[in-house]
PDB file of all heavy atoms in Angstrom:
ATOM      1  N   LYS A 519     255.775 190.060 200.165  1.00 91.00           N
ATOM      2  CA  LYS A 519     254.865 190.714 201.124  1.00 91.00           C
ATOM      3  C   LYS A 519     255.547 190.899 202.461  1.00 91.00           C
ATOM      4  O   LYS A 519     254.849 191.114 203.507  1.00 91.00           O
ATOM      5  CB  LYS A 519     253.560 189.914 201.315  1.00 91.00           C
ATOM      6  CG  LYS A 519     252.711 189.801 200.064  1.00 91.00           C
ATOM      7  CD  LYS A 519     251.386 189.142 200.389  1.00 91.00           C
ATOM      8  CE  LYS A 519     250.488 188.971 199.181  1.00 91.00           C
ATOM      9  NZ  LYS A 519     249.199 188.367 199.486  1.00 91.00           N
ATOM     10  N   THR A 520     256.827 190.750 202.524  1.00 92.00           N
ATOM     11  CA  THR A 520     257.587 190.868 203.804  1.00 92.00           C
ATOM     12  C   THR A 520     258.175 192.212 204.017  1.00 92.00           C
ATOM     13  O   THR A 520     258.623 192.535 205.106  1.00 92.00           O
ATOM     14  CB  THR A 520     258.671 189.785 203.874  1.00 92.00           C
ATOM     15  OG1 THR A 520     259.654 190.063 202.843  1.00 92.00           O
ATOM     16  CG2 THR A 520     258.131 188.398 203.712  1.00 92.00           C
ATOM     17  N   GLY A 521     258.321 192.988 202.932  1.00 92.00           N
ATOM     18  CA  GLY A 521     259.055 194.233 202.994  1.00 92.00           C
ATOM     19  C   GLY A 521     260.560 194.047 202.790  1.00 92.00           C
ATOM     20  O   GLY A 521     261.327 195.020 202.763  1.00 92.00           O
ATOM     21  N   CYS A 522     260.988 192.785 202.593  1.00 92.00           N
ATOM     22  CA  CYS A 522     262.395 192.524 202.423  1.00 92.00           C
ATOM     23  C   CYS A 522     262.733 192.165 200.998  1.00 92.00           C
ATOM     24  O   CYS A 522     263.962 192.083 200.623  1.00 92.00           O
ATOM     25  CB  CYS A 522     262.801 191.352 203.288  1.00 92.00           C
ATOM     26  SG  CYS A 522     262.605 191.630 205.057  1.00 92.00           S
ATOM     27  N   GLY A 523     261.721 191.998 200.111  1.00 92.00           N
ATOM     28  CA  GLY A 523     261.977 191.571 198.730  1.00 92.00           C
ATOM     29  C   GLY A 523     262.059 192.712 197.767  1.00 92.00           C
ATOM     30  O   GLY A 523     261.909 193.887 198.132  1.00 92.00           O
ATOM     31  N   GLY A 524     262.182 192.359 196.510  1.00 94.00           N
ATOM     32  CA  GLY A 524     262.214 193.372 195.497  1.00 94.00           C
ATOM     33  C   GLY A 524     263.165 193.013 194.328  1.00 94.00           C
ATOM     34  O   GLY A 524     263.909 192.032 194.439  1.00 94.00           O
ATOM     35  N   ASP A 525     263.090 193.763 193.272  1.00 95.00           N
ATOM     36  CA  ASP A 525     263.901 193.526 192.062  1.00 95.00           C
ATOM     37  C   ASP A 525     264.141 194.836 191.375  1.00 95.00           C
ATOM     38  O   ASP A 525     263.598 195.843 191.804  1.00 95.00           O
ATOM     39  CB  ASP A 525     263.156 192.540 191.146  1.00 95.00           C
ATOM     40  CG  ASP A 525     264.084 191.765 190.243  1.00 95.00           C
ATOM     41  OD1 ASP A 525     265.288 192.158 190.137  1.00 95.00           O
ATOM     42  OD2 ASP A 525     263.681 190.753 189.648  1.00 95.00           O
ATOM     43  N   SER A 526     264.925 194.830 190.351  1.00 96.00           N
ATOM     44  CA  SER A 526     265.118 196.025 189.542  1.00 96.00           C
ATOM     45  C   SER A 526     265.331 195.612 188.074  1.00 96.00           C
ATOM     46  O   SER A 526     265.480 194.424 187.774  1.00 96.00           O
ATOM     47  CB  SER A 526     266.363 196.815 190.004  1.00 96.00           C
ATOM     48  OG  SER A 526     267.586 196.173 189.597  1.00 96.00           O
ATOM     49  N   ILE A 527     265.338 196.607 187.192  1.00 97.00           N
ATOM     50  CA  ILE A 527     265.528 196.271 185.807  1.00 97.00           C
ATOM     51  C   ILE A 527     266.942 195.943 185.456  1.00 97.00           C
ATOM     52  O   ILE A 527     267.283 195.451 184.390  1.00 97.00           O
ATOM     53  CB  ILE A 527     265.034 197.392 184.892  1.00 97.00           C
ATOM     54  CG1 ILE A 527     265.804 198.723 185.185  1.00 97.00           C
ATOM     55  CG2 ILE A 527     263.570 197.612 185.010  1.00 97.00           C
ATOM     56  CD1 ILE A 527     265.567 199.838 184.195  1.00 97.00           C
ATOM     57  N   TRP A 528     267.817 196.187 186.456  1.00 96.00           N
ATOM     58  CA  TRP A 528     269.259 195.948 186.231  1.00 96.00           C
ATOM     59  C   TRP A 528     269.677 194.648 186.882  1.00 96.00           C
ATOM     60  O   TRP A 528     270.551 194.575 187.746  1.00 96.00           O
ATOM     61  CB  TRP A 528     270.090 197.114 186.811  1.00 96.00           C
ATOM     62  CG  TRP A 528     269.784 198.388 186.103  1.00 96.00           C
ATOM     63  CD1 TRP A 528     270.101 198.720 184.839  1.00 96.00           C
ATOM     64  CD2 TRP A 528     269.022 199.518 186.609  1.00 96.00           C
ATOM     65  NE1 TRP A 528     269.615 199.982 184.525  1.00 96.00           N
ATOM     66  CE2 TRP A 528     268.977 200.494 185.615  1.00 96.00           C
ATOM     67  CE3 TRP A 528     268.425 199.755 187.842  1.00 96.00           C
ATOM     68  CZ2 TRP A 528     268.331 201.700 185.773  1.00 96.00           C
ATOM     69  CZ3 TRP A 528     267.791 200.985 188.056  1.00 96.00           C
ATOM     70  CH2 TRP A 528     267.725 201.949 187.002  1.00 96.00           C
ATOM     71  N   ASN A 529     269.001 193.573 186.474  1.00 93.00           N
ATOM     72  CA  ASN A 529     269.283 192.198 186.934  1.00 93.00           C
ATOM     73  C   ASN A 529     269.262 192.125 188.452  1.00 93.00           C
ATOM     74  O   ASN A 529     270.048 191.409 189.059  1.00 93.00           O
ATOM     75  CB  ASN A 529     270.626 191.706 186.379  1.00 93.00           C
ATOM     76  CG  ASN A 529     270.666 191.578 184.910  1.00 93.00           C
ATOM     77  OD1 ASN A 529     269.674 191.144 184.303  1.00 93.00           O
ATOM     78  ND2 ASN A 529     271.721 192.039 184.270  1.00 93.00           N
ATOM     79  N   GLY A 530     268.314 192.858 189.048  1.00 89.00           N
ATOM     80  CA  GLY A 530     268.146 192.781 190.485  1.00 89.00           C
ATOM     81  C   GLY A 530     269.126 193.638 191.286  1.00 89.00           C
ATOM     82  O   GLY A 530     269.054 193.646 192.535  1.00 89.00           O
TER      83      GLY A 530
END
Side-chain angles (χ1 to χ4, degrees):
K519 297 185 181 182
T520 64
C522 298
D525 205 344
S526 75
I527 59 171
W528 297 291
N529 297 318

